[in-house]
Amino acid sequence: YVGSHDYRVYALDGRTGAKKWEFKTGNIVYSSPAIGADGTVYIGSVDKKVYALNGRTGAKKWEFKTKDQVWASPSIGPDGTVYIGSFDHKVYALDGNNGAKKWEYITEGKVSSSPAVGDDGTIYFGSHDKKVYALNGRTGVKKWEFKTRGGANSSPAIGADGTVYVGSDDKYVYALDSQTGARKW
């Protein structure tokens, strides 16, 4: 599954490269798709929407409208919750089955970082407000934040030991303790 500048999401046969289906959004698709356990394809678009598509047919299951562009790629929690950021300064938790908003968290900057989901359900993401956040994935309550000296626009990665790694526009990569947000290096 791949997005494009022609406003479309494509599904290609992995063996042959033949197009299986395409779905047209309302604008450019910078987001990479996330695939749910049931094969649903989740993707964001510059048209301010998050889409859930049937992975077999490409038919739209639901859409959720934010208030600004969605460049971030969605992440899926262990319970099927879809987490995604928007340029409207928010991260959303959406029910993967129907797109209903479970919660939203407001930052002080655009969110183009794709959330990383920890083993305990914590989500980690960065924002243009120069902060990295850790939120309870079930409730959206902030666990901690860490301030960098530049926009934290990269998508965090979580190491086997639970360390959260994230890059910043300040030209540094940070290693953070996933429980406290304390800088390791």
Side-chain angles (χ1 to χ4, degrees):
Y1 304 100
V2 65
S4 69
H5 275 74
D6 67 359
Y7 301 11
R8 289 176 169 80
V9 178
Y10 294 94
L12 307 177
D13 183 296
R15 292 182 307 275
T16 67
K19 181 173 74 173
K20 294 171 117 178
W21 54 258
E22 66 182 67
F23 175 82
K24 187 173 182 186
T25 70
N27 209 317
I28 296 169
V29 178
Y30 290 123
S31 174
S32 296
I35 314 301
D38 66 353
T40 300
V41 176
Y42 302 98
I43 197 155
S45 174
V46 174
D47 68 4
K48 306 178 184 178
K49 295 179 182 175
V50 180
Y51 294 94
L53 309 175
N54 180 303
R56 203 170 25 80
T57 66
K60 181 173 70 174
K61 294 173 98 172
W62 55 259
E63 67 182 39
F64 176 83
K65 187 165 176 142
T66 73
K67 292 186 175 144
D68 208 337
Q69 300 176 29
V70 179
W71 287 33
S73 299
S75 298
I76 304 171
D79 65 351
T81 299
V82 177
Y83 301 103
I84 193 159
S86 172
F87 277 26
D88 66 4
H89 299 205
K90 296 178 183 175
V91 166
Y92 295 92
L94 307 175
D95 184 308
N97 295 315
N98 56 27
K101 181 174 68 175
K102 292 182 169 188
W103 54 259
E104 65 184 33
Y105 183 84
I106 301 171
T107 72
E108 296 174 11
K110 297 175 183 176
V111 180
S112 58
S113 169
S114 300
V117 182
D119 289 341
D120 65 353
T122 300
I123 66 162
Y124 306 92
F125 65 95
S127 172
H128 288 237
D129 66 6
K130 304 179 182 179
K131 295 177 185 173
V132 179
Y133 293 90
L135 307 181
N136 179 305
R138 192 175 47 78
T139 65
V141 172
K142 182 174 70 174
K143 291 182 162 189
W144 54 258
E145 67 182 42
F146 176 83
K147 187 157 177 63
T148 68
R149 293 177 296 234
N153 304 319
S154 75
S155 301
I158 305 168
D161 66 352
T163 300
V164 176
Y165 301 94
V166 65
S168 171
D169 289 348
D170 63 10
K171 302 181 183 177
Y172 288 95
V173 173
Y174 294 89
L176 308 174
D177 182 289
S178 61
Q179 298 302 310
T180 66
R183 185 177 74 188
K184 292 184 172 186
W185 51 261

